[in-house]
């Protein structure tokens, strides 16, 4: 529950990137030796992927607040249970990681946020190019190869998941794999850096061509995950929507260029330093148009949050969703708070209003939940957000971080879908 209209002020530190952690944790099984991973965000998606690996006899030990030791020495090739896999989209990284390790993999079809059809044809295309055959049967994907052999892989779409999966499958392949039209997101680069620290030879991550020279063996490593670009952007917008003054630490400014540039257009002052960013908003919010695109474009994972901000801007803003088919479901909830938004397919037209009013709303997915938090921080009165399990999938200690900045936020119900997993970590 959030009692709105408190200006956020002060400093917070962001956690490690969810989407990097979700590929790096399964990638650790590619070695026989343990790896130590730090700056791991304390979120339920990390607990889910860890629980899936634990079921496969990988030993995962939590050290302190943000460090995991992952020891894959006794890993067993048993498929994860559907009950866990359906909760987390990134469980498809088990396919690439297991293929890279055992030359075969079997995983139930994954779940995750529900915003339209989420095909994995490009992942399958990549695996097939590396010499594997794929079958889908009874909700399971099974992939087998005599051996994985490097090849060229052209992705029809610069898919983050397909790029990462092909890299995972190819690091220990025989020969060279070249991915063209690869995704360039910071977490793709982070995964490549992690694998290289294990002794892999992955070159060009962050550009649209990635070359992977297969190596025979990977060793254990110690690695720190990059800061979460989307968590940072979310707090930048939270600062802006409340007319606050917030410094966010432990960030990489280069990852925030698209978000910074749009916030400046909206009338927010953003000052970067080497590893921090300060967001101050004193004046009226201006309208602006946004089209979401793969990196380095404006991230789709920030679209709901910035729409919540623009709901309070002067004038009409047009938001075009360029990545997902159906990522505007949250607008119905914002409308219940007084926002004036109409959606037609992949376009939303936002007529700015002077104020929003607190009520009971429901998070329909992770970033939708973040958008409702932002709206609630600015709204008149109290907002109760239901289904906060979605938010806890991707935001570490969000109530504490916002309270530290002066927000009036409290978790009033113990919705804790992953409580039993705490034991595993
Ligand atoms: N697509 C295909 N075929 C494929 C794969 C993707 O058509 O085989 C399409 C998708 O339907 C979508 C587009 O390509 O329209 C992009 O999908 P992508 O594969 O890049 O997305 P993803 O890997 O499933 C990751 C993030 C998402 C983020 C997208 C886009 C993880 C675990 N998830 O998903 O993050 O929205 O990239 O940047 O890394 C989030 O954090 O809230 C989140 C949803």
């Amino acid at each position: 529950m959030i009692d709105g209209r408190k200006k956020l002020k002060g400093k917070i530190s962001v956690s490690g990137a969810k989407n990097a952690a979700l590929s790096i944790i399964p990638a650790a099984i590619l070695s026989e030796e343990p790896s130590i991973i730090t700056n791991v965000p304390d979120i339920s998606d990390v607990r889910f992927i860890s629980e899936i690996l634990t079921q496969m006899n990988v030993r995962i030990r939590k050290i302190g607040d943000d460090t995991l030791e992952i020891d894959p020495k006794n890993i067993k090739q048993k498929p994860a249970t559907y009950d866990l896999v359906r909760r987390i989209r990134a469980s498809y990284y088990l396919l690439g990681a297991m293929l890279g390790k055992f030359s075969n993999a079997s995983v139930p079809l994954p779940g995750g946020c529900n915003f339209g059809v989420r095909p994995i044809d490009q992942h399958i295309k990549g695996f097939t190019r590396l010499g594997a055959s794929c079958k889908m049967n009874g909700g399971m994907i099974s992939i087998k190869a005599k051996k994985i052999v490097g090849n060229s892989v052209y992705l029809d779409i610069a898919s983050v998941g397909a790029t990462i999966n092909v890299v995972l499958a190819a690091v220990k392949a025989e020969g060279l794999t070249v991915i063209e039209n690869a995704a360039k997101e910071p977490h793709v680069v982070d995964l490549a850096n992690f694998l290289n620290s294990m002794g892999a030879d992955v070159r060009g991550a962050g550009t649209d061509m990635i070359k992977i020279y297969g190596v025979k063996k990977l060793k254990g490593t110690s690695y720190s995950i990059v800061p979460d670009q989307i968590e940072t952007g979310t707090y930048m917008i939270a600062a802006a929507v409340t007319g606050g003054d917030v410094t966010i630490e432990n960030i990489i400014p280069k990852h925030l260029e698209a978000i910074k540039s749009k916030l400046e257009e909206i009338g927010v002052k953003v000052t970067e330093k080497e590893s921090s960013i300060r967001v101050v908003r004193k004046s009226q919010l201006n309208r602006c148009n946004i089209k979401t695109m793969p990196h380095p474009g404006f991230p789709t994972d920030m679209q709901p949050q910035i729409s919540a901000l623009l709901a309070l801007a002067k004038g009409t803003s047009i938001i075009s969703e360029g990545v997902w088919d159906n990522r505007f479901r949250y607008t119905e909830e914002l409308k219940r708070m007084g926002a004036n938004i109409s959606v037609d397919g992949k376009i939303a037209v936002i007529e700015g209003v002077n104020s929003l009013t607190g009520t009971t709303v429901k998070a329909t997915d992770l970033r939708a939940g973040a958008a409702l938090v932002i709206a609630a921080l600015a709204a008149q009165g109290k907002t109760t957000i239901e289904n906060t399990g979605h938010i806890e999938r991707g935001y570490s200690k969000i109530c504490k971080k916002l309270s530290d900045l002066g927000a009036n936020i409290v978790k009033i119900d113990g919705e804790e879908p992953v409580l039993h997993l705490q034991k595993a970590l």
Side-chain angles (χ1 to χ4, degrees), residues 18-20 22-23 45 88-93 113 115-124 157-164 183 185 187 230 293-295 299-301 322-325 327 346 365-367 393:
K18 164 179 96 76
N19 290 342
L22 293 179
S23 65
D45 267 14
I88 168 172
R89 180 85 190 153
S91 49
Y92 55 42
Y93 291 141
C113 285
F115 25 74
V117 184
R118 295 186 72 170
I120 57 162
D121 55 302
Q122 296 304 305
H123 304 231
I124 305 290
I157 297 169
S159 153
V160 172
T163 302
I164 288 180
E185 271 66 7
H187 32 290
I230 304 300
M293 278 185 279
H295 191 78
T300 173
D301 295 341
V323 177
W324 296 109
D325 285 341
R327 206 174 192 174
K346 291 166 82 170
D365 63 62
L366 166 60
R367 309 302 172 189
R393 283 187 43 216

